[in-house]
Amino acid sequence: QFPYAYIPNLALSIPSAVTSFQEAAFAFCGSLTSINIPSAVNSIGYYVFYECSGLTSIYAQPSFPVNLSNVAEVFTNVDKTNCTLYVPYGAKAAYQAANQWQDFTNIVEASEGFSLSAGIVNIAAAAGSTGTATITTTVPWTASSDQSWLTVSPASGNDSQTLTFTAEENTSIHRRFATVTFSADGFDSQI
């Protein structure tokens, strides 16, 4: 963040491990022309792209738009008519309906990939309790849980289908959480 530096035609590729953009992270960076938002990003702060008037492309990798309902002016003075928002396969409708994302005139959905119908699935505590989601895909995929008490079936596939998440009994009084990661060669993983 160098307020007096000018780097023409700046395109940033953010590392895939980044999970949030802090308040005003790129504010007043008029030379920023392109940026990717990794799929792991789940939080974007106030004014992140404020006055980024040079932006012509944003590559948003999250399957579900980051919720900007309680965050002010993320894209203020970004030319949302000339800046193209690229989104994952199956995600266009969600971005078109999401606060602030919907302001972009040009939202382009990837022609290949996979998408999930839900980002969170709640499952009861009893043994054998299940929850479902749908995967829509044009590519082969695999799924893996980070907790042994939760399984997903099927764990891989080549086509769109309903996924069933099955939990072992929760004998604790505390809520528990598991992360299921969906992967496909050449595409960002989704959680």
Side-chain angles (χ1 to χ4, degrees), residues 63-106:
S63 297
F64 302 96
V66 176
N67 185 353
L68 303 178
S69 297
N70 297 318
V71 185
E73 303 187 55
V74 173
F75 301 107
T76 297
N77 289 333
V78 169
D79 185 348
K80 293 174 246 2
T81 300
N82 291 316
C83 180
T84 301
L85 176 61
Y86 295 92
V87 301
Y89 174 80
K92 184 175 181 177
Y95 278 86
Q96 287 175 320
N99 186 289
Q100 296 187 61
W101 300 103
Q102 66 191 4
D103 299 335
F104 287 87
T105 303
N106 301 310

Side-chain angles (χ1 to χ4, degrees), residues 143-160:
S144 62
S145 174
D146 71 341
Q147 300 294 322
S148 61
W149 54 264
L150 182 73
T151 59
V152 59
S153 179
S156 64
N158 296 317
D159 55 0
S160 302

Side-chain angles (χ1 to χ4, degrees), residues 91-133:
K92 184 175 181 177
Y95 278 86
Q96 287 175 320
N99 186 289
Q100 296 187 61
W101 300 103
Q102 66 191 4
D103 299 335
F104 287 87
T105 303
N106 301 310
I107 301 177
V108 177
E109 181 178 272
S111 61
E112 291 188 318
F114 63 98
S115 65
L116 302 169
S117 64
I120 296 174
V121 176
N122 292 310
I123 302 173
S129 294
T130 63
T132 61

